[in-house]
C-alpha cells in the first residue's frame, strides 16, 4: 500500500467544511471534503503537545514529546530516535518529504527531500533538497503551489515497482496568513460569524489566562498580522514588528505591487475611520479569519491537484491518504489566535483518512491522538511496530472493526517562557470531561502558578465554566486527578 500523508501547519478543524463548522460553510473546502467522502473523518482527533516541532517529532517517532525529547519548539529532538520512514525505507518503500521540516535534525529515512528553510516563506521561498549540497535555493511562486509541484514531480520520477510513502508538509495556514495573489480579495464581502467566546473574560480561570500574549485584541501586529503596513510602528511586541519586514522581504516588485494595491484598497476605510473598543476587536477578527481562510483556499486547491493525480494514475485503490494538521488553532475562540492551550480548538486537530477498502463517508468518535500516526502507517504498510512507539494503530477503526479503544488522552505543553507566554500545563480528557493543571515558576512579571481547571464538555462545549472545586463535580474531579496521576506515572513524566 502506498502512503500519501498531507499535513498543514495550524489548520483548525473549524475551517474544513467536512467538519460542519459555521466558518467553513462560508469558506468551503471541497477537496478536503472529497477525502472525507471517500474515507473516515475523525471527530475526536487530538495532539499530545499543541505546537509545531514537538508534533512533527511525535508524528515521525510515534512517541510523546518527553520520549523523543522535542518538548519545546526550538530544541530537543533526540537524534538517536528512529523515524518510521527509516523502517519503511528498509522495507523497500520509496520515501520522500516535501515542504516544512523545522526540526533540529536532518531528515532520516527519506530517498528524497525538499524542505523549507526554518518556518519557510509564503512567497518565493527557499528550499534545500537531498541533492542541493546543503544549500537553500530560492524558487519563484507561492509556497503551497510550489510544494505541490514538487510532490507531483517526485511522483512522476518513480516507477510503480515498489510502494511509495510521500509526505507533503505545507507551510500554510501558518501565521502570518499571506494569501496567494489570486485570492487576496476572496471573501472580502463575507462577514464571518464571530465565535461566542471572542470576548471571553476568563472570569472562572486563573492568572494564566490574563498573562498570555495570544489575544486577537491585544497581541497581534497591525502590519505583520493584519497587513496594514501603514501602522507598522504602532506599539507591538518587538518580534512582531520585525517579522513584518522579514515576511515581505522575499516578494518581488510585481507581486508587491498587486499585494499593496489590494490591501491599500481594503485598508482605506479602516485608516480613515479607525474603530475602537469591541468594534476594533471585531475588525481584527474579520481581517484575521479572512486571510486565514484565503490561505486554506490554496491548500484545498492543491490537495485537489494531488487527488486528481492519484486518480489519473490509478493510485487511489492502493494508497492510504491522510489529511491532518500539526495541531489545531484558535480562530478567535476565548479571544485567542494561535495554539498551545489544552482548550478544544488547539488540542484537537483535523484528521481525515482514506483507507483503501475501508469505511467511506463515515465519522469516527473514538479518542485518537497524533502518537497513533506512525503506528498506523507502519501497520498499513504491513510492518511490525517497534516497541518504543506509544500509540495505537488506527487501521482497525479505518476498517470499521469493533475493537476496544482507549477511554482518555494525556496532554502536556512545556514551552514556557516563550513566544505567546502560555504557561506550562498538562491534563487529561475523556469522552465528556477535561482536567487541566497549569504549573511552574513564573518568568518576569508572571507569578509562580498551580492552577486547576475542570470542564464538563457536554454541558459547556465552549469551556467557559471552570468547575474545579465545585462540590457537584468532586467525584469526577478526583477520578480525573487519579487518571492524570496514572498517566504521569506510566509515562514517567518528570516535570
Ligand atoms: Ca503548527
Amino acid at each position: 500500500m502506498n502512503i500519501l500523508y498531507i499535513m498543514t501547519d495550524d489548520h483548525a478543524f473549524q475551517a474544513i467544511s467536512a467538519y460542519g463548522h459555521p466558518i467553513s460553510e462560508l469558506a468551503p473546502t471541497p477537496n478536503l471534503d472529497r477525502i472525507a467522502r471517500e474515507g473516515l473523518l475523525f471527530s475526536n482527533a487530538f495532539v499530545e503537545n499543541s505546537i509545531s516541532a514537538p508534533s512533527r517529532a511525535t508524528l515521525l517517532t510515534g512517541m510523546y514529546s518527553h520520549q523523543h525529547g522535542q518538548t519545546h519548539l526550538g530544541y530537543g529532538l533526540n537524534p538517536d530516535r528512529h523515524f518510521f520512514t527509516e523502517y519503511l525505507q528498509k522495507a523497500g518503500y520509496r520515501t520522500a518529504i516535501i515542504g516544512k521540516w523545522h526540526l533540529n535534525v536532518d531528515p532520516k529515512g527519506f530517498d528524497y527531500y525538499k524542505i523549507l528553510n526554518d518556518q519557510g516563506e509564503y512567497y518565493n521561498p527557499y528550499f534545500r533538497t537531498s541533492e542541493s549540497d546543503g544549500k537553500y535555493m530560492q524558487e519563484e511562486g507561492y509556497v503551497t503551489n510550489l510544494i505541490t509541484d514538487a510532490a507531483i514531480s517526485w511522483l512522476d520520477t518513480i516507477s510503480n515497482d515498489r510502494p511509495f510513502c510521500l509526505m507533503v508538509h505545507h507551510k500554510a495556514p501558518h501565521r502570518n496568513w499571506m494569501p496567494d495573489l489570486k485570492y487576496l480579495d476572496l471573501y472580502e464581502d463575507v462577514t464571518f460569524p464571530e465565535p461566542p467566546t471572542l470576548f471571553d473574560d476568563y472570569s472562572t480561570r486563573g492568572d494564566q489566562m490574563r498573562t498570555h500574549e495570544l489575544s486577537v485584541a491585544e497581541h497581534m501586529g497591525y502590519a505583520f498580522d493584519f497587513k496594514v503596513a501603514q501602522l507598522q510602528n504602532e506599539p507591538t511586541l518587538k518580534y512582531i514588528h520585525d517579522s513584518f519586514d522579514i515576511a515581505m522581504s522575499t516578494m518581488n516588485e510585481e507581486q508587491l505591487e498587486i499585494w499593496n494595491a489590494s490591501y491599500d484598497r481594503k485598508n482605506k476605510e479602516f485608516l480613515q475611520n479607525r474603530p475602537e473598543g469591541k468594534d476594533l476587536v471585531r475588525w481584527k477578527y474579520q481581517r484575521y479569519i479572512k486571510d486565514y481562510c484565503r490561505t486554506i483556499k490554496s491548500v484545498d486547491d492543491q490537495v485537489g491537484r494531488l487527488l486528481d493525480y492519484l486518480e489519473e494514475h490509478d493510485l487511489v485503490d492502493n494508497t492510504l491518504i491522510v489529511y491532518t494538521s500539526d495541531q489545531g488553532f484558535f480562530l478567535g475562540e476565548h479571544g485567542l489566535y494561535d495554539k498551545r492551550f489544552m482548550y478544544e480548538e488547539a488540542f484537537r486537530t483535523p484528521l481525515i483518512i482514506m483507507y483503501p477498502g475501508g469505511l467511506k463517508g463515515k465519522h469516527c468518535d473514538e479518542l485518537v491522538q497524533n502518537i497513533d500516526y506512525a503506528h498506523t502507517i507502519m501497520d498499513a504498510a504491513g510492518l511490525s511496530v517497534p516497541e518504543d512507539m506509544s500509540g495505537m494503530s488506527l487501521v482497525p477503526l479505518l476498517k470499521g472493526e469493533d475493537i476496544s479503544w482507549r477511554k482518555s488522552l494525556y496532554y502536556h505543553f512545556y514551552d514556557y517562557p516563550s513566544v505567546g507566554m502560555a504557561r506550562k500545563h498538562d491534563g487529561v480528557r475523556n469522552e465528556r470531561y477535561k482536567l487541566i493543571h497549569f504549573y511552574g515558576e513564573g518568568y518576569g512579571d508572571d507569578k509562580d502558578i498551580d492552577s486547576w481547571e475542570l470542564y464538563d464538555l457536554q454541558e459547556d462545549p465552549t469551556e467557559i465554566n471552570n468547575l474545579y472545586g465545585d462540590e457537584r463535580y468532586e467525584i469526577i474531579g478526583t477520578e480525573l486527578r487519579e487518571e492524570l496521576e496514572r498517566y504521569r506515572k506510566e509515562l514517567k513524566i518528570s516535570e
Side-chain angles (χ1 to χ4, degrees), residues 245-393:
D245 293 330
I246 297 165
M248 303 304 286
S249 66
T250 58
M251 290 178 105
N252 64 35
E253 272 181 40
E254 200 183 331
Q255 291 164 340
L256 211 48
E257 203 173 309
I258 299 168
W259 177 277
N260 286 335
S262 170
Y263 283 100
D264 284 350
R265 197 164 55 244
K266 288 184 283 198
N267 291 337
K268 202 172 165 191
E269 193 190 320
F270 171 78
L271 287 168
Q272 278 170 356
N273 187 13
R274 285 176 65 179
E276 288 174 8
K278 284 192 171 178
D279 288 343
L280 177 59
V281 178
R282 294 195 161 104
W283 179 88
K284 288 178 175 181
Y285 168 74
Q286 291 297 329
R287 175 57 60 88
Y288 163 44
I289 190 71
K290 285 176 191 179
D291 281 336
Y292 184 92
C293 288
R294 287 165 181 146
T295 67
I296 299 290
K297 176 66 178 161
S298 290
V299 168
D300 188 71
D301 289 352
Q302 299 300 314
V303 168
R305 269 180 78 202
L306 269 177
L307 296 178
D308 290 346
Y309 182 97
L310 295 187
E311 280 172 15
E312 284 157 18
H313 292 79
D314 287 328
L315 290 165
V316 176
D317 293 338
N318 61 346
T319 303
L320 170 79
I321 304 172
V322 180
Y323 183 85
T324 188
S325 170
D326 62 345
Q327 26 38 229
F329 214 66
F330 295 106
L331 302 178
E333 298 88 357
H334 304 289
L336 300 169
Y337 67 97
D338 204 82
K339 51 257 182 178
R340 300 165 213 264
F341 288 112
M342 197 189 166
Y343 303 124
E344 289 293 277
E345 293 80 7
F347 180 29
R348 279 173 185 272
T349 195
L351 179 66
I352 313 172
I353 304 181
M354 212 170 114
Y355 184 86
L359 294 178
K360 276 185 177 201
K362 298 263 196 275
H363 288 200
C364 174
D365 295 331
E366 299 289 2
L367 298 169
V368 306
Q369 206 165 20
N370 58 341
I371 49 168
D372 300 329
Y373 298 178
H375 216 112
T376 302
I377 293 171
M378 298 280 289
D379 192 12
L383 303 176
S384 61
V385 179
E387 281 189 358
D388 61 4
M389 286 189 180
S390 279
M392 295 169 78
S393 171

Side-chain angles (χ1 to χ4, degrees), residues 19 54 411 454:
Y19 278 87
Y411 178 84
L454 169 65

Side-chain angles (χ1 to χ4, degrees), residues 387-422:
E387 281 189 358
D388 61 4
M389 286 189 180
S390 279
M392 295 169 78
S393 171
L394 305 179
V395 169
L397 301 178
L398 292 162
K399 288 179 174 171
E401 290 170 5
D402 193 15
I403 56 156
S404 104
W405 197 256
R406 65 165 76 90
K407 299 293 177 214
S408 67
L409 299 172
Y410 177 72
Y411 178 84
H412 202 149
F413 175 79
Y414 303 82
D415 201 0
Y416 172 90
S418 187
V419 170
M421 296 301 277

Side-chain angles (χ1 to χ4, degrees), residues 9-10 52 56 174 326-327 339:
D9 192 344
D10 296 353
S52 183
R56 287 160 205 280
H174 193 274
D326 62 345
Q327 26 38 229
K339 51 257 182 178

